[in-house]
Amino acid sequence: MKVLVPVKRVVDYNVKVRVKSDQTGVDIANVKMSMNPFDEIAVEEATRLKEKGVASEVVVVSCGVAQCQETLRTAMAIGADRAILAETSEELQPLAVAKLLKALVEKEQPQLVILGKQAIDDDANQTGQMLAALLDWPQATFASKVEVADGKATVTREVDGGLETLSLALPAIVTTDLRLNEPRYVTLPNIMKAKKKPLETVKPEDLGVDVKPRLKTLKVSEPPARKAGVKVADVAALVDKLKNEAKVV
Ligand code: AMP
């Protein structure tokens, strides 16, 4: 069974992002970029399926600029066997990514696609669902446990107030939640090995996909700055302020 894992290059989760002065977006010049954390979980899960002998090959895919190659190399250092970069410098929105992934799924014929539940830059939470719709495949989003056997995936999802377990006929789409697993640290020998693994580059035109944005960002702004707090002398002063200033009690 082949598993395909799409990985996105995003601003590292430790970076405090800044909005550009013209409010057209977030400044990513000279900012540390990393693999989207949910995608790391997806690569880890696919690698574990391969280690268990359930999957035969793990292929990672990234859509975006040439630097996404670094993200793909990291995925191969975790355990993926080979990588494909759908290279473009155009801004990619979830529908465009889903169309690129659909074309790659048709080419690669995986039985399972594991995506992150969302990319931490745009927080869209759309690509997996759109891909499932375009392919007309079953989907289980926000997975906290995945088991694959007998042509079926059994997926546990965290829902409000409990757990839901779904059974999906393969081929299927799964998106990862935070608690699915804890990705391993990549070791230096594996980073070196990953450099020798195959990385193929294709262009959206080669896949027959039009990636033009369908949505226009009107404005991006910082959240309002929080006002400084004040210290009160005692409980009576606090209650007085809550009653007469904040008017919450
Ligand atoms: P989103 O719908 O943008 O929140 O992203 C959900 C998931 O789709 C991510 O966790 C990735 O697995 C995948 N994805 C989104 N954008 C890309 C991209 N440019 N390249 C590869 N995978 C992507």
Side-chain angles (χ1 to χ4, degrees), residues 180-197:
L180 180 59
N181 62 48
E182 206 173 301
R184 69 196 67 184
Y185 284 106
V186 291
T187 59
L188 191 59
N190 284 343
I191 293 173
M192 302 311 287
K193 263 192 230 156
K195 289 191 183 179
K196 296 206 185 84
K197 292 186 181 176

Side-chain angles (χ1 to χ4, degrees), residues 5-9 36 38-39 61-64 92 94 97 101 114-129:
V5 183
V7 295
K8 187 177 187 188
R9 178 178 180 264
N36 182 43
F38 293 107
D39 304 352
V61 177
S62 194
C63 309
L92 290 177
V97 176
L101 295 176
I114 312 181
L115 304 92
K117 75 167 178 183
Q118 76 193 69
I120 61 162
D121 50 1
D122 298 324
D123 277 342
N125 177 3
Q126 294 174 357
T127 311
Q129 294 88 328

Side-chain angles (χ1 to χ4, degrees), residues 162-216:
L163 298 173
E164 178 186 44
T165 305
L166 298 176
S167 173
L168 319 177
L170 299 180
I173 306 284
V174 169
T175 75
T176 62
D177 210 338
L178 208 56
R179 275 169 289 273
L180 180 59
N181 62 48
E182 206 173 301
R184 69 196 67 184
Y185 284 106
V186 291
T187 59
L188 191 59
N190 284 343
I191 293 173
M192 302 311 287
K193 263 192 230 156
K195 289 191 183 179
K196 296 206 185 84
K197 292 186 181 176
L199 194 160
E200 178 194 350
T201 300
V202 292
K203 300 269 177 203
E205 309 84 83
D206 307 335
L207 299 170
V209 177
D210 170 13
V211 294
K212 263 204 290 309
R214 300 287 196 275
L215 306 171
K216 191 171 153 209

Side-chain angles (χ1 to χ4, degrees), residues 15-238:
V15 170
K16 181 164 178 352
V17 289
R18 280 177 208 285
V19 170
K20 286 190 202 161
S21 52
D22 62 0
Q23 297 196 316
T24 55
V26 164
D27 195 358
I28 56 163
N30 303 318
V31 162
K32 182 175 180 222
M33 306 292 283
S34 301
M35 191 191 310
N36 182 43
F38 293 107
D39 304 352
E40 247 181 273
I41 295 173
V43 178
E44 175 68 36
E45 194 64 20
T47 303
R48 289 186 191 185
L49 286 174
K50 190 173 169 202
E51 288 166 349
K52 277 192 230 156
V54 176
S56 52
E57 190 183 25
V58 177
V59 182
V60 281
V61 177
S62 194
C63 309
V65 292
Q67 290 91 324
C68 295
Q69 288 186 23
E70 290 162 23
T71 318
L72 291 169
R73 292 280 172 213
T74 307
M76 289 191 283
I78 297 175
D81 297 292
R82 61 186 172 90
I84 305 171
L85 168 63
E87 190 181 341
T88 171
S89 48
E90 283 252 14
E91 175 205 335
L92 290 177
Q93 293 177 347
L95 183 58
V97 176
K99 287 180 182 169
L100 290 169
L101 295 176
K102 175 179 186 256
L104 289 167
V105 164
E106 281 163 357
K107 188 163 163 258
E108 291 288 333
Q109 304 275 319
Q111 289 295 98
L112 185 64
V113 183
I114 312 181
L115 304 92
K117 75 167 178 183
Q118 76 193 69
I120 61 162
D121 50 1
D122 298 324
D123 277 342
N125 177 3
Q126 294 174 357
T127 311
Q129 294 88 328
M130 285 176 167
L131 178 62
L134 292 176
L135 289 167
D136 199 16
W137 282 12
Q139 61 174 313
T141 52
F142 300 18
S144 61
K145 190 169 172 210
V146 176
E147 278 168 338
V148 181
D150 308 325
K152 277 188 299 188
T154 308
V155 179
T156 306
R157 316 177 58 232
E158 288 180 12
V159 291
D160 275 355
L163 298 173
E164 178 186 44
T165 305
L166 298 176
S167 173
L168 319 177
L170 299 180
I173 306 284
V174 169
T175 75
T176 62
D177 210 338
L178 208 56
R179 275 169 289 273
L180 180 59
N181 62 48
E182 206 173 301
R184 69 196 67 184
Y185 284 106
V186 291
T187 59
L188 191 59
N190 284 343
I191 293 173
M192 302 311 287
K193 263 192 230 156
K195 289 191 183 179
K196 296 206 185 84
K197 292 186 181 176
L199 194 160
E200 178 194 350
T201 300
V202 292
K203 300 269 177 203
E205 309 84 83
D206 307 335
L207 299 170
V209 177
D210 170 13
V211 294
K212 263 204 290 309
R214 300 287 196 275
L215 306 171
K216 191 171 153 209
T217 303
L218 299 180
K219 192 170 118 181
V220 176
S221 52
E222 303 262 2
R226 282 178 65 177
K227 282 206 229 129
V230 287
K231 268 193 178 167
V232 290
D234 50 28
V235 174
L238 174 65

